[in-house]
Amino acid sequence: MFKNCIVRKPCKALVEGITSGTYPGKPDYELACRQHEHYIECLKQCGVQVEVLPALEAYPDSVFVEDPAVVTRSCAIITNPGAASRNGEKNEILPAIRKFYPEEKIHFITGEGHLDGGDVMMVGDHFYVGLSARTNAEGLRQFAEILAKYGMTCSEVPLAEVLHLKTGVNYIENNNMLVSGEFVEKPDFEKFHKILIPEGEEYAANCIWMNGSVIVPEGYPGVEKLVKEAGYQVILCDTSEFRKLDGGLSCMSLRF
Ligand code: CIR
């Protein structure tokens, strides 16, 4: 069960955030703020406390707090984000992490090692890590070393098509995994009950399990139905403005 979430308000510079252009258009800042408020409400509905950090104009993508830190039940890891314009977000997230974790349980990916939290998928005490344009082998090596101190493990998943691992695959507990595109056939995920994302709804592979409920992006009826059929209460949340920057539901919070 999760008790806490950390989120950061979107900044006005959001409109200049990194985008692959998969979902065209510039985010509407006002609408993004309203959607973010609703996102916080959805998290609260699941019984967690939400720590809301102030907007950071220096970092257009800073609303995506999932990337500069990985939080586990035993420790927190400040990553070394792989995108140059986002790297400094690691310093900004640190004070928030310190509120929840003692200094000796906060670790850092450093030097040539790069890792984005969006590439890290937690399944109990095992972590799948996407090797992507943002996360490299050295980042993964350091990450594995830190996890090992706490008896946790990780394995690598090379990515071909998507930005982050969790862009295309997400674990929603009870052995259920939402899988799309390049992840459908990956042997790594064979042991899970795979819920295949219908064509055209790939964005909704990024749902979040929150204490028994699953938050699903609004506008993806196929995924909504499949998640309900799997036995979950579904909470819908519209993230259209964040999608324009390749950001999904998981990207906007740290959950622990
Ligand atoms: C980026 O390219 O870094 C942002 N525009 C989107 C980050 C999405 N974060 C995530 O998947 N964890």
Side-chain angles (χ1 to χ4, degrees):
M1 293 293 270
F2 294 127
K3 289 200 195 89
N4 295 292
C5 288
I6 299 174
V7 304
R8 184 182 293 287
K9 287 191 175 169
C11 58
K12 293 196 180 81
L14 177 78
V15 295
E16 305 303 335
I18 307 171
T19 177
S20 64
T22 307
Y23 302 98
K26 285 223 179 247
D28 172 327
Y29 169 69
E30 302 294 334
L31 180 55
C33 289
R34 288 201 295 279
Q35 290 181 344
H36 196 258
E37 289 288 330
H38 181 235
Y39 178 73
I40 294 171
E41 286 314 310
C42 293
L43 295 174
K44 285 184 176 165
Q45 262 186 50
C46 302
V48 291
Q49 297 266 59
V50 183
E51 173 89 5
V52 184
L53 307 178
L56 270 182
E57 289 302 334
Y59 297 101
D61 285 294
S62 53
V63 66
F64 303 118
V65 286
E66 178 176 66
D67 295 316
V70 174
V71 286
T72 78
R73 65 183 126 217
S74 312
C75 64
I77 295 144
I78 305 296
T79 72
N80 191 17
S85 70
R86 300 199 58 192
N87 190 261
E89 291 176 32
K90 63 189 180 196
N91 305 318
E92 306 290 343
I93 200 73
L94 183 56
I97 296 296
R98 283 192 169 130
K99 282 194 188 172
F100 296 94
Y101 291 86
E103 210 54 39
E104 69 275 14
K105 293 195 170 164
I106 305 178
H107 303 272
F108 298 83
I109 306 286
T110 59
E112 295 305 306
H114 290 288
L115 187 118
D116 269 12
D119 277 320
V120 177
M121 178 172 68
M122 179 176 79
V123 178
D125 282 338
H126 185 77
F127 295 77
Y128 291 91
V129 182
L131 283 185
S132 68
R134 305 288 179 83
T135 296
N136 61 14
E138 173 58 12
L140 172 66
R141 192 195 62 75
Q142 292 181 24
F143 188 66
E145 212 169 82
I146 297 163
L147 293 177
K149 293 188 213 285
Y150 297 90
M152 300 187 285
T153 54
C154 66
S155 53
E156 67 176 74
V157 185
L159 308 189
E161 292 159 15
V162 293
L163 170 66
H164 284 125
L165 178 68
K166 284 186 289 188
T167 310
V169 55
N170 284 269
Y171 185 59
I172 54 169
E173 304 296 325
N174 309 324
N175 206 44
N176 292 319
M177 194 168 272
L178 298 170
V179 289
S180 72
E182 61 184 293
F183 302 105
V184 173
E185 301 296 340
K186 282 227 196 278
D188 313 60
F189 306 128
E190 242 159 35
K191 63 179 178 206
F192 298 102
H193 173 246
K194 291 189 272 189
I195 300 177
L196 306 190
I197 300 296
E199 218 184 311
E201 296 199 11
E202 286 76 10
Y203 174 77
N206 187 280
C207 290
I208 44 181
W209 178 90
M210 284 296 296
N211 298 342
S213 299
V214 174
I215 309 181
V216 175
E218 197 171 326
Y220 298 89
V223 175
E224 182 186 341
K225 183 164 175 280
L226 289 169
V227 173
K228 277 184 182 153
E229 281 169 2
Y232 299 96
Q233 191 209 328
V234 165
I235 299 173
L236 293 178
C237 184
D238 192 358
T239 50
S240 66
E241 300 317 289
F242 303 99
R243 182 178 57 204
K244 292 171 183 168
L245 302 179
D246 308 307
L249 285 164
S250 77
C251 317
M252 296 197 285
S253 56
L254 289 167
R255 303 162 297 280
F256 54 105

